[in-house]
Structure formats: C-alpha cells, structure tokens
C-alpha cells in the first residue's frame, strides 16, 4: 500500500481559450509553478491541463519544447479507434499527442450531450487500452442530494463506469467526485461532505475490485475549488487532488491551488 497517493490537480479549460490564449496560459502556469513540482517526494503534486481539442497540439509542443512538468490532458473522446463519427476524436489520436489523462463522463457531457453510464464505461476502457488514464466523473444533482440519494447515485455511477475492468487497471484510475450543484456555482461541498463521498468511492472500489486497487486509486474533488478552499479540501485523507474548472483559467489561481495541495 502506498504511504501517500500523489495528488493530481487537473485544470478543465472547457470551451475556453483559443490556441494563442492557451499557449500564454500554459507558459504562465509553468513559470508560476517553477520548482514546485519536482521537489521532494513527500510533497509531490501532479498537474494536468485539459484544453479544447483545437489547442492540444499547441500546448503539447509548448510542454515538450520547454520541458514543463505539466502533463497534457483532454476533456473527452470517442471510444472507437477510427471511423465515420463526424465531430469526434478517438483515443488513438489523443495518445499520439502524448495526452496522459482524459476526462470521461463530466456532468456537462452527461447533461448537455446525453452521455450515459454505458458510454462512459466504453470510453474509460478505450482510454485505458490506449495507455492513457481516464478521469471518471461522478456526482449527484442538488435534487438527488436533498432526496438523500447521493450514495446510490455515486456508487451506481462508479460501478457502471468501471464494470469489466481488471483490478490492476482500476488501481491506476482517477475518479473525480463532482457534486453537480457545486460546478461553476461558487458553492463548494464542505470538506467533511466531500471527504465522506470520496471515501464512499474508495469503499465502492474495495467492494467490487479489492483492497489493493482501492488503496492506490486517486479520488479528486471538483466543484468551485479556489485558492481559498483548496488546502482544507486536500487535507482530507480520501481526497487526492482536484478537478478545477473556472479557477484553472487564471494561472495565478490555479498555481495557488497547486501550492495549497502540496503535502
Ligand atoms: C469542472 O468543470 O469540473 C468544475 C469543477 O468546474 P468549477 O471548478 O468551475 O466548479
């Protein structure tokens, strides 16, 4: 069992920043994070940025040319390798750009683009098959929280997304717990509530895939994470990082969240 899971702080840029703006943003972030990511093991943090598809090649080139410690991520992909899927991008195409992490099942994709649990499951498997790591998003609506069904919703989504995966694959995954009512609203789950649901995600994995993968799986919290609340959230034992939307567009704020997440 690991002494410490390395926190992963991921910036989901959503449909923001053209490729010129993306280049400036990643360069500024790298400058602000200089010396912070390659320090001592016990304080290590991993940072990924998830630009829109049109920015990926530009950001990849910047990361590799300037040898940044930042890792490239994507926001979405299809599960098929190639074919007649107008508008889609395949996991093979992302892997070719050295993408390391791909978000699967973000609530905006589930709600606005009708992504189902089954689609998320197929995507997660395809992302893994191409050597990348899925960040599988789960979380309840406000109505579900108020009805007391958070537990059922989250455990159901975790089981459905990971169904059929081997234990060692599950142990390397990232699950992001994102209460939908906290995304982009300025409302954050309390650190206690976030910890309770992140622990539930881990317990669901222990139940279905065993203790070993549940101990290594990383569980992020997402939903209005800001420099002012990051340290408290990250201090909880089952929260292994954050998926950050709005605050990741401002390099100073995102760097402050990374700084707050160091052990
Ligand atoms: C997100 O998009 O995953 C997210 C958590 O957004 P925000 O940080 O803006 O709430």
């Amino acid at each position: 069992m690991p002494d410490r899971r390395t926190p992963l702080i991921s910036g989901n840029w959503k449909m923001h920043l053209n490729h010129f703006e993306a280049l400036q943003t990643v360069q500024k972030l790298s400058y602000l994070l200089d010396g912070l990511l390659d320090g001592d093991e016990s304080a290590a943090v991993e940072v990924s940025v998830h630009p829109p598809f049109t920015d990926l090649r530009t950001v990849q080139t910047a990361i590799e040319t300037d040898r940044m410690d930042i890792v490239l991520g994507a926001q979405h992909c299809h599960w098929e390798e190639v074919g007649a899927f107008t508008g889609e991008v395949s996991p093979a195409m992302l892997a070719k750009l050295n993408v390391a992490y791909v978000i699967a099942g973000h609530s905006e994709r589930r709600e606005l683009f009708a992504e189902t649990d089954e689609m998320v499951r197929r995507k997660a498997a395809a992302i893994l098959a191409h050597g990348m790591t899925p960040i599988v998003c789960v979380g309840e609506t406000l109505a579900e929280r108020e009805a007391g069904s958070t537990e059922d919703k989250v455990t159901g989504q975790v089981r459905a997304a990971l169904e059929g995966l081997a234990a060692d694959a599950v142990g390397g995954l990232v699950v992001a717990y994102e209460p939908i009512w906290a995304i982009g609203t300025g409302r954050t789950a309390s650190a206690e509530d976030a910890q309770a649901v992140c622990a539930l995600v881990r317990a669901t994995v222990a139940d279905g895939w065993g203790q070993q993968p549940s101990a290594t799986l990383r569980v992020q919290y997402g939903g209005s994470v800001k420099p002012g609340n990051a340290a408290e959230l990250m201090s909880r034992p089952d929260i292994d990082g954050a998926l950050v939307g709005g605050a990741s567009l401002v390099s100073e704020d995102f760097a402050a969240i990374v700084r707050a997440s160091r052990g």
Side-chain angles (χ1 to χ4, degrees):
M1 302 293 158
D3 292 339
R4 173 183 184 268
R5 292 177 289 268
T6 303
L8 172 65
I9 310 297
S10 303
N12 175 13
W13 293 356
K14 309 194 186 193
M15 200 171 70
H16 294 284
L17 310 180
N18 63 39
H19 71 287
F20 292 114
E21 295 161 338
L23 179 59
Q24 287 173 340
T25 303
V26 76
Q27 283 174 332
K28 187 163 179 187
L29 181 64
S30 173
Y31 170 77
L32 292 168
L33 294 179
D34 190 32
L36 213 73
L37 302 178
D38 53 4
D40 122 45
E41 260 301 291
S42 64
V45 186
E46 204 181 347
V47 175
S48 63
V49 291
H50 300 247
F53 287 140
T54 50
D55 303 352
L56 282 175
R57 180 70 173 139
T58 305
V59 175
Q60 179 212 4
T61 304
I63 287 175
E64 292 176 7
T65 307
D66 294 347
R67 296 172 192 270
M68 296 178 185
D69 291 317
I70 298 164
V71 173
L72 189 61
Q75 300 175 18
H76 161 68
C77 67
H78 198 274
W79 53 85
E80 292 291 348
E81 176 102 14
V82 67
F85 301 101
T86 302
E88 289 294 325
V89 167
S90 79
M93 293 167 180
L94 297 180
K96 196 79 182 159
L97 289 168
N98 292 341
V99 164
Y101 293 98
V102 187
I103 299 170
H106 191 281
S107 61
E108 286 155 13
R109 300 241 25 121
R110 292 180 191 257
E111 291 197 326
L112 303 174
F113 302 99
E115 243 172 47
T116 62
D117 279 344
E118 171 58 12
M119 290 159 85
V120 177
R121 183 192 70 72
R122 295 173 81 166
K123 284 209 278 186
I127 293 162
L128 280 166
H130 285 86
M132 301 176 289
T133 301
I135 298 178
V136 175
C137 298
V138 298
E140 81 287 2
T141 63
L142 186 57
E144 288 163 341
R145 171 156 285 262
E146 286 172 352
S149 51
T150 300
E151 192 165 319
D152 286 350
K153 174 76 180 284
V154 169
T155 54
Q157 285 181 322
V158 170
R159 287 200 192 104
L162 310 190
E163 194 192 317
L165 295 180
D168 60 341
V170 172
L173 284 185
V174 181
V175 173
Y177 166 56
E178 299 209 300
I180 295 168
W181 47 270
I183 296 179
T185 59
R187 286 184 66 181
T188 318
S190 70
E192 288 68 34
D193 287 348
Q195 158 61 25
V197 183
C198 291
L200 173 70
V201 169
R202 205 177 297 290
T204 307
V205 167
D207 188 41
W209 289 267
Q211 284 303 327
Q212 178 76 38
S214 87
T216 54
L217 170 97
R218 287 181 291 177
V219 186
Q220 295 177 314
Y221 167 78
S224 298
V225 175
K226 305 274 180 252
N229 58 24
E232 199 192 348
L233 286 159
M234 298 309 129
S235 70
R236 303 298 147 134
D238 287 293
I239 304 181
D240 309 313
L243 182 52
V244 184
S248 72
L249 299 172
V250 182
S251 299
E252 287 83 355
D253 287 355
F254 193 54
I257 291 170
V258 173
R259 215 170 292 119
S261 311
R262 298 179 79 224

